[in-house]
Amino acid sequence: MILECPKCGKKYKIDEEKYFKEKDEVSLKCPNCSEIIKAKRGMQPKVSTSPTQRFKKPDDLTPEESDIPDAHLLAMPSELRISVAVLSGTDAGSVFAIDKPVTVIGRTGCDIVLNDPEVSRKHARIEIRGTSYTLRDLKSTNGTYINEKHIQAAPLEDKTEFRIGSTILMFLSTKDEY
C-alpha cells in the first residue's frame, strides 16, 4: 500500500501484512515532517495526481518568500528526492536533504548551515518550482559561483556544482524510490 502524507506530500510504501497484522487501522508518523498519517486496512489511499495541488497561494507566502520571483509557483517535485552534498570544505561529506521549496544556505540560522568563515550568515538560497530549480545569491560578501562564474541567480540541474565561500557543493535531484 502506498500512503501520502497530507502535510508534506511525501509518499511511502508500507507492508500491509506487517502493519495490519492484528489491527484494521493504524497511525503512522511521517518520517519527513512528523505528521500523523492514519490508514485503514484495504483503503485506497488518496494520492495527489497533480503537483499543482502543492503550489502555494500568494496569501500563504512567508516574509522570506515575498521577494522570490513567481513565489506562488514554489512547489516540491512529487517523485524526486532533492539534496545538496558538500564536496569540499570543512563540512565535506555532509549531505543535506531538501524537503521544502525554499532552502537557505549560510553560516548561521539557515536550513543548511556550513562551518566556513567565508560564507555569509544568509549566503544563498535554492528555490524549487516543481522540476525547475534556481540558485540565488542573497547579496553575500564573497559571492556565489557556478563553474567559477559569479552569479546572482542561475538554474540548477542534477549534479550541478557550485561554490559559496570556500565550500564546493553539488545539487542532486534523484528519482524517489519508495
Side-chain angles (χ1 to χ4, degrees):
M1 168 187 285
I2 297 173
L3 297 178
E4 181 176 6
C5 176
K7 183 176 179 182
C8 70
K10 191 85 171 160
K11 296 176 186 142
Y12 302 97
K13 185 174 185 178
I14 65 165
D15 181 354
E16 287 185 71
E17 291 179 24
K18 176 183 172 186
Y19 285 97
F20 297 105
K21 203 172 207 173
E22 299 170 5
K23 305 174 193 168
D24 287 333
E25 186 174 322
V26 293
S27 295
L28 304 169
K29 188 184 222 182
C30 175
N32 190 50
C33 71
S34 299
E35 178 78 6
I36 300 299
I37 305 169
K38 295 190 181 221
K40 293 182 181 180
R41 181 190 302 268
M43 75 178 233
Q44 292 297 319
K46 294 178 184 174
V47 176
S48 66
T49 56
S50 167
T52 58
Q53 293 176 345
R54 291 188 291 164
F55 284 155
K56 290 190 169 195
K57 297 176 189 160
D59 298 344
D60 295 337
L61 299 176
T62 65
E64 301 84 43
E65 296 169 341
S66 62
D67 70 331
I68 298 173
D70 297 324
H72 65 285
L73 297 177
L74 293 169
M76 293 299 292
S78 58
E79 295 183 8
L80 294 174
R81 181 176 295 147
I82 309 297
S83 56
V84 171
V86 182
L87 301 180
S88 71
T90 55
D91 298 295
S94 300
V95 178
F96 300 93
I98 296 178
D99 58 1
K100 57 186 189 173
V102 177
T103 300
V104 178
I105 305 169
R107 204 176 60 241
T108 60
C110 296
D111 302 305
I112 296 176
V113 176
L114 299 173
N115 298 306
D116 179 344
E118 294 180 29
V119 171
S120 295
R121 278 184 227 139
K122 290 190 185 327
H123 196 106
R125 74 175 168 229
I126 296 172
E127 302 164 5
I128 300 174
R129 293 171 188 82
T131 56
S132 174
Y133 318 108
T134 304
L135 176 65
R136 188 175 307 278
D137 185 79
L138 297 176
K139 300 178 184 171
S140 64
T141 303
N142 294 319
T144 301
Y145 297 84
I146 294 179
N147 296 324
E148 290 310 309
K149 180 181 175 195
H150 185 262
I151 61 110
Q152 293 303 313
L156 288 172
E157 295 178 3
D158 183 37
K159 298 186 180 124
T160 299
E161 291 184 23
F162 60 98
R163 180 174 63 82
I164 63 174
S166 60
T167 302
I168 297 175
L169 304 107
M170 179 183 283
F171 178 80
L172 300 165
S173 169
T174 55
K175 185 100 169 130
D176 194 7
E177 302 292 328
Y178 47 84

